[in-house]
Amino acid sequence: MSTLNKDIETVAALKETYGSAWNAINPEYAARMRAQNKFKTGLDIAKYTAAIMRKDMERYDNDSSQYTQSLGCWHGFIGQQKLISIKKHFNSTDRKYLYLSGWMVAALRSEFGPLPDQSMHEKTSVASLIEELYTFLRQADARELGGLFREVDAARKAGDSAAEAAAQEKIDNHITHVVPIIADIDAGFGNAEATYLMAKQMIEAGACCIQIENQVSDEKQCGHQDGKVTVPHEDFLAKIRAVRYAFLELGVDDGVIVARTDSLGAGLTKQIAVTNKPGDLGDQYNSFLDCEEVSPADMKNGDVVLNRDGKLLRPKRLPSNLFQFRAGTGEDRCVLDCITSLQNGADLLWIETEKPHVGQIGGMVNRIREVIPNAKLVYNNSPSFNWTLNFRQQVFDAWAEEGKDLSAYNRDNLMSVEYDESELSAEADRRIQSFQADAAREAGIFHHLITLPTYHTAALSTDNLAKEYFGEQGMLGYVAGVQRKEIRQGIACVKHQNMAGSDMGDDHKEYFAGEAALKAAGEDNTMNQFG
C-alpha cells in the first residue's frame, strides 16, 4: 500500500473517532497535503540528507567515477530552479547537491549591503538561507505533486482508469527535490562556543554537512585572496569538535564535517602554538615559523623567542603583530592540517588551491593517503580561476616538455580570441571538460562544486537583457532572448503564477470551501496561453 493510501486510511479513521464534526474533511485531500509536506522540519531534512551523503561517500570509495557535484545558490528560487532543471534533464537527483557559499551570503544577503568575504555579514543570515533554500525545494515538491493530483482528478472525471493509474504511479514513486547541502560556516564566527551555536542553527535549518576553515575568525579572508591568517591546530580541532557535538545533540548522528585548510596560500599566523613536548602538534606548527637564531644579547624589548633544541629562535613578527611562516612550507602545512583534521573528527577535506591542477592536488592527496587511506576532498571549481588561461597554459607546458613546436603561440597571451579555434585550445577545452572525472579518479575528489556560478549567471543574463531591451530591440529583446527560449526549453517558471503557488492555492481553496471557492485558474487567466 502506498504512503498516500495509508494516510487516507489514517484520516478516515480520525473521522470515525471524532464523529460528525469531521464530516466536511476529505481524507484524500488531507493525505495529499501530507504528501506535499513530506519534510516537517529542518532536522527531518538534515537526517534524510545526511544518510544520502554517507551512502554517496561509500559509493565513491568503491568507485571514483561516482563523484558528486553541486552549484552554489544564493537564493531559494535559484536552488529550486536548479533542482527542477536537474530532474527535468536527468529524471533523478542522484549525486547532485546544493552548495551554500559564505562569499555569496556576504555579497548578496547581508543587511549591510554587498560585503567582501571576511565574515562581516550577520551570522544568522547563513542559517536563514539554508531554511529558505529548503522552503523553495519543498514548495517544488508540493507544486509537482499538485499537478499530478490534478491529473488523477482529470482522469477520474474522464473515466480513464489507465491515465489515473499512470498518474498514481508517478505520485507513489515521486522523487523529491530535497538534496544534501554543503553549508559554509566560514571560520566559525567566533570562538568554539560561537561555532557550536551557529552550527546548531544551520543543522536545525536543514544542513547535513558543514564546511569550516582554519583561518582566524576575525581576520577571515576569501580563500582566493591574500592576507590569510591560520590558527594553531588545537584551536581548529576544538571547532571541529564543536560542530560534531552540535550534530550529535540534535540527533543527526551521521552529519558530515568538511575541514578546509587555507595553508597553501596563507603565510601568516596570529598565534604561536602551545607545545608541551618536542614533536607534538604545537611544536610541529611552530616549526614552520620563519625564525632567526639569537643570543640573549641580541634580544630586543618585547621580543618573543622559542626554545628549540637548546637554541633561542626569534620568530619574524610583522608590524601587524602577525608572525610569518617560512616561504615554501605551504604544502607541508596543508598536508599536516588535513591529516590532523581527519584524525580528529572531520569526514572530508577541502584544500583551497591557487589553480585547478590535477597533478598538484593529487600530489597532496597521495601524501595524506599514506596516513589516511580513504581521505577524500570537496573541491572548489572556483570562478576565481581563469579556467581558459590556466588550462591553455597547462597544455602549452605539457607540449613544451614533449618538444612540440609552439612557435605559433604566445604563452602569456593564450587567453586571446585568436587562439579559440586552435589545436591547443581544443585540447585545453577537452581537459576542462574532463577535469572533474580526472580529478575524482586521480586526486581523490569526492565532491566538485562551483561556489559562485549563479552570481555570475545572474549578472550575465541581466547584462544581455538590458543591452537588448533598452537598445534597438526593445520588447523583442525580452521576447526573443528570454520568453521564447523559456517556452521552447520547457522552463517551468514561464508559468510564473504557477511557480509562485497559484494553482496550489486554488487546490486549497477547493479543499476548504468546495464549490464556493474563488479560484484564479479560470479561463481568463493569461497563463493559459502557455498551456
Side-chain angles (χ1 to χ4, degrees), residues 139 322 452 472 485:
Q139 192 260 13
L322 299 171
L452 320 176
E472 294 181 1
K485 290 181 179 179

Side-chain angles (χ1 to χ4, degrees), residues 192-334:
E193 175 69 7
T195 301
Y196 154 77
L197 294 171
M198 186 71 259
K200 278 183 63 177
Q201 272 204 345
M202 292 168 66
I203 298 161
E204 288 169 336
C208 72
C209 178
I210 293 176
Q211 162 210 327
I212 187 167
E213 64 201 46
N214 69 336
Q215 290 191 45
V216 175
S217 189
D218 59 355
E219 305 284 354
K220 180 318 194 255
Q221 292 276 17
C222 172
H224 290 277
Q225 293 186 306
D226 206 354
K228 295 182 290 294
V229 186
T230 63
V231 297
H233 294 92
E234 292 297 349
D235 294 43
F236 187 50
L237 298 180
K239 291 188 176 182
I240 290 176
R241 287 190 286 270
V243 175
R244 178 62 65 205
Y245 276 113
F247 273 124
L248 293 172
E249 178 182 339
L250 295 172
V252 187
D253 298 345
D254 49 359
V256 179
I257 299 174
V258 179
R260 168 177 148 181
T261 172
D262 285 295
S263 290
L264 197 62
L268 303 170
T269 184
K270 199 170 189 176
Q271 300 164 266
I272 294 175
V274 172
T275 173
N276 296 309
K277 59 183 180 181
D280 64 13
L281 265 182
D283 191 46
Q284 291 180 70
Y285 188 79
N286 295 340
S287 71
F288 295 115
L289 292 169
D290 188 0
C291 300
E292 60 178 341
E293 186 176 353
V294 295
S295 68
D298 298 323
M299 292 173 60
K300 301 175 183 177
N301 184 56
D303 268 357
V304 173
V305 295
L306 300 174
N307 176 11
R308 180 177 296 132
D309 299 327
K311 297 178 180 179
L312 292 179
L313 301 176
R314 179 167 57 201
K316 184 172 183 179
R317 184 158 59 175
L318 306 179
S320 60
N321 205 32
L322 299 171
F323 296 97
Q324 183 171 292
F325 290 114
R326 295 195 315 278
T329 62
E331 183 171 315
D332 289 340
R333 287 182 284 121
C334 182

